[in-house]
Amino acid sequence: MAEHWEPAAFKARVDEVLHRFVADEADLLAAVDPALGPVAEQLEASVAVGKRLRAAFCYWGWRAARQPDSDALVRAAASMELVHAAAVVHDDLIDDSPLRHGRPTAHVAFGHVVRHHPRAADAARSLAMLVGDLLMSLAGQLFATSGLPAAYLGRARPLWAALARDLIAGECLEILHTGVTPDTTASLKVIRYKTAKYTVEQPLLIGGALAGAGDRLREGYSAYGLPLGEAFQLRDDLLGLFGDTWHTGKANADDVRGHRPTALLAETWRIAGADEREQLRALLGRHDVDEDGLEAVRGVMRRLKAPDRVESMISARVEEALGALHELDVPAPAARALTGLAHAAAVRLS
């Protein structure tokens, strides 16, 4: 790990930390009462899979500040994945998404557990909400008990407040803009706060703060991380409607049925004529939209070349991120790793 970046090896290290830590916490939860067994199982399922990009950005925020490889740092970086797991559970709940990684989402999985409940759907959603809350709490616990010196942790702790505030702001903005007239500026702001910051920028900044990074390096992390995080979510928007569900593991009707404020939809709306807007109005937000309806939306987008516009937005942001990285004085292994992570975040199938 010291000189050659091996993503699979790093992912295995993070997986080991996460699975062991969450399994121990799940056992403690289940020990309270046997009825909590399914909740404990869902807690473990929430961290079972993932690319571990957020942990990787935190790790290289540390290494780019010329700190050595550290198992304690990997534990601290793994806490970023618990933040992500919490955000995913809550996001799926807010969006009423049925699938994630090809598996039922938490609120769907809990359906059979509470089928005896007089308000079974509400009860399942409540259990999922509580699992997300617990995951966020566990993120702080894993970070605090990572084994890094208290002085290092103290430097980074204030950034956790910013991370949570920005993430919640982004989720709230998405809810507030859902169903309204699509607007590209508003959509990009949602992307920045809901995804870009906690996916790339803030993990980098937390890793840098742990390492004692100086002002210039931290500014460079933001200059690299924000456009790259936006590119990551723009790619997600494209995959959400045009991706192969076998690869994405998510239902591709979600954004259309939810009339979500994606940049893809906003760009489509911006250049659409009156007839095309009327066609979109008839389909967006309909829970019963079928594959023919989805293909009609895709057809409008393709005719207007909206996917191509979003691809250009992705390319421009990756170029901006790599340009910012090029300006930073970081060790060669860190530069190579962050270059590779930029491509992994923006060019993907899932």
Side-chain angles (χ1 to χ4, degrees), residues 58-82:
C58 183
Y59 177 85
W60 285 105
W62 164 275
R63 292 298 307 279
R66 304 182 188 277
Q67 291 281 9
D69 180 57
S70 161
D71 288 338
L73 187 280
V74 171
R75 284 178 59 81
S79 68
M80 300 292 99
E81 297 300 327
L82 290 175

Side-chain angles (χ1 to χ4, degrees), residues 61-298:
W62 164 275
R63 292 298 307 279
R66 304 182 188 277
Q67 291 281 9
D69 180 57
S70 161
D71 288 338
L73 187 280
V74 171
R75 284 178 59 81
S79 68
M80 300 292 99
E81 297 300 327
L82 290 175
V83 172
H84 177 54
V88 163
V89 172
H90 286 152
D91 195 50
D92 288 341
L93 185 59
I94 291 166
D95 294 339
D96 201 22
S97 298
L99 291 174
R100 175 75 65 164
H101 299 303
R103 304 175 183 178
T105 50
H107 64 281
V108 173
F110 279 131
H112 76 281
V113 177
V114 294
R115 55 183 179 270
H116 63 281
H117 196 284
R119 298 195 318 277
D122 290 341
R125 295 174 70 84
S126 296
L127 287 174
M129 177 186 68
L130 293 167
V131 166
D133 292 347
L134 180 54
L135 285 164
M136 186 62 84
S137 174
L138 292 178
Q141 181 182 339
L142 179 57
F143 184 80
T145 61
S146 62
L148 288 172
Y152 289 28
L153 297 173
R155 290 195 295 252
R157 193 167 288 117
L159 295 175
W160 279 77
L163 184 155
R165 180 175 59 250
D166 289 345
L167 177 55
I168 296 302
E171 286 284 7
C172 289
L173 284 172
E174 183 177 58
I175 293 169
L176 292 167
H177 289 301
T178 291
V180 305
T181 301
D183 177 80
T184 300
T185 300
S187 294
L188 290 174
K189 192 166 193 177
V190 170
I191 282 173
R192 172 163 289 205
Y193 281 88
K194 181 189 170 187
T195 303
K197 283 179 167 288
Y198 99 93
T199 297
V200 186
E201 184 200 24
Q202 285 161 333
L204 277 168
L205 289 173
I206 288 172
L210 290 169
D215 291 344
R216 185 176 182 280
L217 185 55
R218 293 198 304 271
E219 290 168 2
Y221 285 169
S222 291
Y224 163 90
L226 280 174
L228 181 56
E230 290 176 2
F232 176 90
Q233 183 58 45
L234 288 168
R235 174 63 63 202
D236 216 50
D237 289 351
L238 282 175
L239 290 171
L241 188 54
F242 289 93
D244 184 337
T245 56
W246 189 87
H247 287 293
T248 65
K250 294 185 282 189
N252 57 13
D254 285 359
D255 288 347
V256 172
R257 289 175 178 165
H259 195 172
R260 295 177 190 160
T262 66
L264 175 61
L265 173 59
E267 279 297 285
T268 302
W269 189 268
R270 184 178 65 81
I271 55 182
D275 290 345
E276 290 154 335
R277 288 185 176 185
E278 190 60 34
Q279 186 177 3
L280 291 171
R281 283 192 192 97
L283 294 167
L284 294 171
R286 283 181 48 181
H287 293 289
D288 61 346
V289 70
D290 57 14
E291 185 57 36
D292 288 340
L294 291 178
E295 193 52 42
V297 173
R298 293 187 191 105

